[in-house]
Amino acid sequence: MLDHLAYEAPKPKVIAGARHDWELVIGMEVHAQVASQAKLFSGASTAFGAEPNANVSFVDAAMPGMLPVINEFCVEQAVRTGLGLKAKINLFSAFDRKNYFYPDLPQGYQISQLYHPIVGDGEVIVDMGPGLARRVRIERIHLEQDAGKSIHDMDPALSFVDLNRTGVALMEIVSRPDIRSPEEAAAYVAKLRQILRYLGTCDGNMQNGNLRADVNVSVCRPGAYERYLETGDHRHLGTRCEIKNMNSMRFIQQAIEFEARRQIAILEEGGEVVQETRLYDPDRGETRSMRSKEEAHDYRYFPDPDLLPLELDQAWVDAIAAALPELPDARKARYVTQFGITEYDAGVLTAEAENAAFFEEVARGRDGKQAANWVINELFGRLNREGHTIAESPVSAAQLGAILDLIAAGTISGKIAKELFEIVYTEGGDPVRIVEERGMRQVTDAGAIEAAVDAVIAANPAQVEKAKANPKLAGWFVGQVMKATEGKANPAAVNALVTRKLGL
Amino acid sequence: MSIDIDTARRVAKLARISVPEQDLAALAEELTGILRFMEQLNEVNVEDVEPMVSVTPMRLKRRPDGVTDGGYPEKILANAPDAREGFFAVPKVVE
């Protein structure tokens, strides 16, 4: 089985400055919330939208004497995610304290994994079009606690703090600086989200903040990136700025675009880019500095004395690996080879695991190409227009399959099939019975079709003369016959008869 | 290793501990003394010795994924100097 279809790397984006050309270098830190019931180190719920401070235990509130106990499921999801990104799983990892003060962090430190992360080197293949993809190396994934939420707009003088999110498990997925355009950055997040959803380790809900990205952006002259790859020396890539906490693909692109131009303007005027953390303001379409420079952050990391190192058994990891689902790249490659559909269509069908499962049920034992056309054009097209997901589809895979079977058996024409689909979509019901009850069967009886053709020819002598001079007009007769038979005549049979009768 | 006054000031600031300027010199000296005491450990040869993380042969204890805690916001907020509408209320923090 193919892991991935063949691809070439896209060209990096080049931005023309006032003086010369520049290239972008982008690395990402994606925070993905683990799809667990309880938090990473406490038994409080992770449910979104609870009353403020209802999903908080004394551990999360950092009451004196409370000790963290790790959630085994969260560990398993981090390992699954690592395996899904073809990454090295570290059988030994450990937790460290990242110390800083903020009102939504009652411990005064975040438990994270700086020195010994649970997952090491991996990769994500970011599709940029058929035959085109960027391989982005993953440096590490570590487990860490989320912070709480501060609300600043409920009172003019106060901030309100809700600790419900405090201590929820996050996987921080850190890429190498291999992303070379704003579009690739958005596509990278989309691909990561797709893989996480296939794995079921994170629901990928960006609106709820369950998937958010910090983006590191720098600019360099063409050729500098290649020198970095040769030497491993990051200085070739220029000074980077980190844009924090973005949860929209569109804003990620806009922020990178703005930030690159800001840095280019500074450099071309002979200035220096200051390494700093910035925030993107979508209303103004610009990034701005987030932390004052003199107060450089010093997190004073040290091993968390409350937690022993996390040691995994190879056999446990192997069992997780054996139970991994088929992932998007492999599934897409299989669709192309097994069903003979285009890479583009295979990409559409595999975008969500649920969509792919639906398609496979329709395609089972049927013509894969035809199934793909109907699923993509008729069903997905309709669902998208109405803003529905596949789970909300009024047409089941079995119903759509039955429609395809009716076409294959010659019971209905493709045109009638679309009407039938419309009926099934809006009213529901068994397609076979609908065809019988509403008399939608295609007329294949040669005698009946012939009679209809004869009638049309007899009624239109003038058109017959014209058609004899100009054979293209035969189509008009086919149309008239189809109309007379309410579309139920087999179009191919009508066409053959009209041509013969007109002597064309 | 010795701690100078600037480092002492910085460490105090990071820890959010208020130390009057005139006390910094004494604090730096005290911290230096502690570090010197610890540095005696450098004299021990630990080559090929695995770092010990526990005095008993224990592995990290794990728990299953289930909601077993929470649901008592009034207790969480009981010690808060200021709480409103179920939230902790703190002086405005805006980045």
Side-chain angles (χ1 to χ4, degrees), chain A residues 1 12 29 47 61 67 72 105 114 118 122 128 134 139 205 218 225 239-240 267-268 324 377 416 447 484:
Chain A
M1 270 286 132
E29 293 160 22
L67 288 173
E72 184 166 38
L105 186 80
L114 177 69
I118 186 165
M128 298 306 298
R134 175 78 66 200
E139 183 182 324
N205 186 330
S218 68
Y225 185 79
T239 305
R240 66 176 193 270
L267 292 169
E268 292 202 333
L324 281 191
N377 298 324
I416 294 284

Side-chain angles (χ1 to χ4, degrees), chain A residues 39 42 53-54 152 155 159 161, chain B residues 63 68 71 86 88 90 92-93:
Chain A
K39 295 183 180 181
S42 89
N53 294 303
H152 305 295
D155 187 284
S159 289
V161 179
Chain B
R63 63 184 171 81
T68 56
F88 290 92
V90 301
K92 193 129 191 133
V93 268

Side-chain angles (χ1 to χ4, degrees), chain A residues 203-346:
Chain A
D203 69 14
N205 186 330
M206 297 185 79
Q207 236 163 17
N208 290 359
N210 296 354
L211 193 73
R212 356 188 248 274
D214 298 342
V215 187
N216 288 286
V217 182
S218 68
V219 295
C220 62
R221 301 290 305 279
Y225 185 79
E226 286 68 24
R227 283 199 292 283
Y228 151 72
L229 285 183
E230 280 161 28
T231 59
D233 186 345
H234 284 81
R235 281 175 301 182
H236 292 298
L237 303 180
T239 305
R240 66 176 193 270
C241 287
E242 182 180 22
I243 313 165
K244 276 276 187 203
N245 226 0
M246 282 185 289
N247 63 348
S248 141
M249 314 266 189
R250 195 158 53 91
F251 292 164
I252 288 172
Q253 289 195 49
Q254 291 171 357
I256 293 171
E257 196 84 42
F258 174 87
E259 181 58 21
R261 290 178 192 283
R262 186 187 72 89
Q263 292 183 14
I264 289 169
I266 292 174
L267 292 169
E268 292 202 333
E269 278 163 27
E272 270 186 45
V273 174
V274 180
Q275 184 172 338
E276 62 178 355
T277 307
R278 301 178 69 85
L279 266 186
Y280 180 64
D281 181 342
D283 295 331
R284 296 182 179 195
E286 61 182 33
T287 63
R288 59 185 157 79
S289 185
M290 189 171 160
R291 284 165 183 158
S292 53
K293 278 162 254 170
E294 70 269 33
E295 210 163 331
H297 267 233
D298 180 347
Y299 293 122
R300 294 149 297 144
Y301 279 99
F302 63 89
D304 192 314
D306 287 342
L307 290 158
L308 286 164
L310 177 57
E311 291 175 272
L312 309 177
D313 295 322
Q314 186 62 50
W316 187 72
V317 174
D318 292 343
I320 297 171
L324 281 191
E326 184 183 35
L327 291 167
D329 291 340
R331 179 166 282 186
K332 195 165 89 171
R334 178 166 67 80
Y335 282 11
V336 169
T337 48
Q338 181 180 338
F339 299 116
I341 61 179
T342 62
E343 182 179 347
Y344 180 83
D345 282 352

Side-chain angles (χ1 to χ4, degrees), chain A residues 383 387-395 425:
Chain A
L383 291 172
H388 293 308
T389 65
I390 191 75
E392 298 158 345
S393 169
V395 179
Y425 193 98

Side-chain angles (χ1 to χ4, degrees), chain A residues 97-101 108 115 298-302, chain B residues 11 14-15:
Chain A
R97 291 183 178 180
K98 177 182 182 177
N99 299 280
Y100 67 95
F101 288 99
Y115 300 111
D298 180 347
Y299 293 122
R300 294 149 297 144
Y301 279 99
F302 63 89
Chain B
V11 169
L14 285 168

